[in-house]
Amino acid sequence: MSAPLKIYGVPLSQAVRTVIWLLLNKKLPFELVVTVPGSPKANGTRDPEYMKKFPNATIPGLEETDSGFLLGESLAIMTYLCTKHGWTDLYPDDPERRSKVDSILHYHHRSFKEATLAFFAPKVRPDLGLAEPVIEMSRRVFTNGLKAMETQWLANNQYLTGNSPTVADMAAYVELGQLKKEFTNTFDYQEFSNVSRWLDDMTKLDGHDDSHLVLKELGDISQGAPEMERIMGANMKGIEIVNKKIAEM
C-alpha cells in the first residue's frame, strides 16, 4: 500500500531536501514523486496538472491522498507536519519558543536562502539566466545573514533559537551546508567559528546523511558548472537512497 503522504520534487532542490530530511528524521513514510523544476512536461512543475495542485509551480509540494489536502512552500510544509504530528522537539508548542523559530523562518528567505542564488544556482541552474548584479546582491545579503548568525544567534546558543535544533536550523543548514567543501566546495566557512561548529553539529541529526547524499554525488563544482548528466546522476542516486530509507520504515 502506498503512503498517504506524497512529496513532489527532487532531492537536489534545497527546499525539497529540507522536507525529506524532516520526514526521514521522524521516520514518517512518504512517497517521493519525482518532479522537475521548470519543466512543462508531465513530470514538471509547469505541467498544467501540477499547477492545478500547486499554482506557485514550485517544489516541494505536499499531497495527502486520504484527505486531498495540498500545500506548497517548504517552510509551511515543515511547520504543518510538525504541528499535525506533534513534533514539538523541532517546532515547540510554547508560544514564546515557537515565535523564535518562526522569526528565523520569516528571516530565512532574504538571508540564508540567498546562498542558493549566490553560489549554487549560477552553476547548477544556468537556465535561470541570473544576471551578475543579482548574484552579487545575493552574496551581500547572504554574507549579512551569515555574520548575524555568527555574532548573534550562535554566539551564546548551540543552535539558532536555543540549545536544541529546530526546523529553523534544518532549513538554514540545507542552504549553508550545500556550500561546504565536502559537498560543492563553493564557500569557505573557516573564519566563522560558531557557524562551522553549528554546521558540524547539524550533521549529527538523524537523516542528514541520507537526505544529503545527493550533494556527495554532485561533488565539487567550485571550478565550473557540472554537466547535465552529472546533475541528473546525482539526483537519481539521491532518489534511490531516499526510496531505500522509506522502504525500511
Coordinates of all heavy atoms in Angstrom, one line a residue, residues 6 14 190:
K6 N 2.4 12.3 -0.1 CA 3.3 12.4 -1.3 C 4.0 13.7 -1.2 O 3.5 14.8 -0.8 CB 2.5 12.4 -2.6 CG 1.8 11.1 -2.9 CD 1.1 11.3 -4.2 CE 0.4 9.9 -4.6 NZ -0.3 10.0 -6.0
Q14 N 17.1 22.4 -2.7 CA 17.3 22.7 -1.3 C 16.0 22.6 -0.5 O 16.0 22.0 0.6 CB 17.9 24.1 -1.1 CG 19.2 24.3 -1.7 CD 19.1 24.5 -3.2 OE1 18.1 24.8 -3.8 NE2 20.2 24.3 -3.9
Q190 N 35.7 29.0 7.2 CA 36.8 28.9 8.1 C 36.8 30.1 9.1 O 37.1 29.9 10.3 CB 38.2 28.8 7.4 CG 39.3 28.6 8.3 CD 40.6 28.4 7.5 OE1 40.6 28.3 6.3 NE2 41.7 28.2 8.3

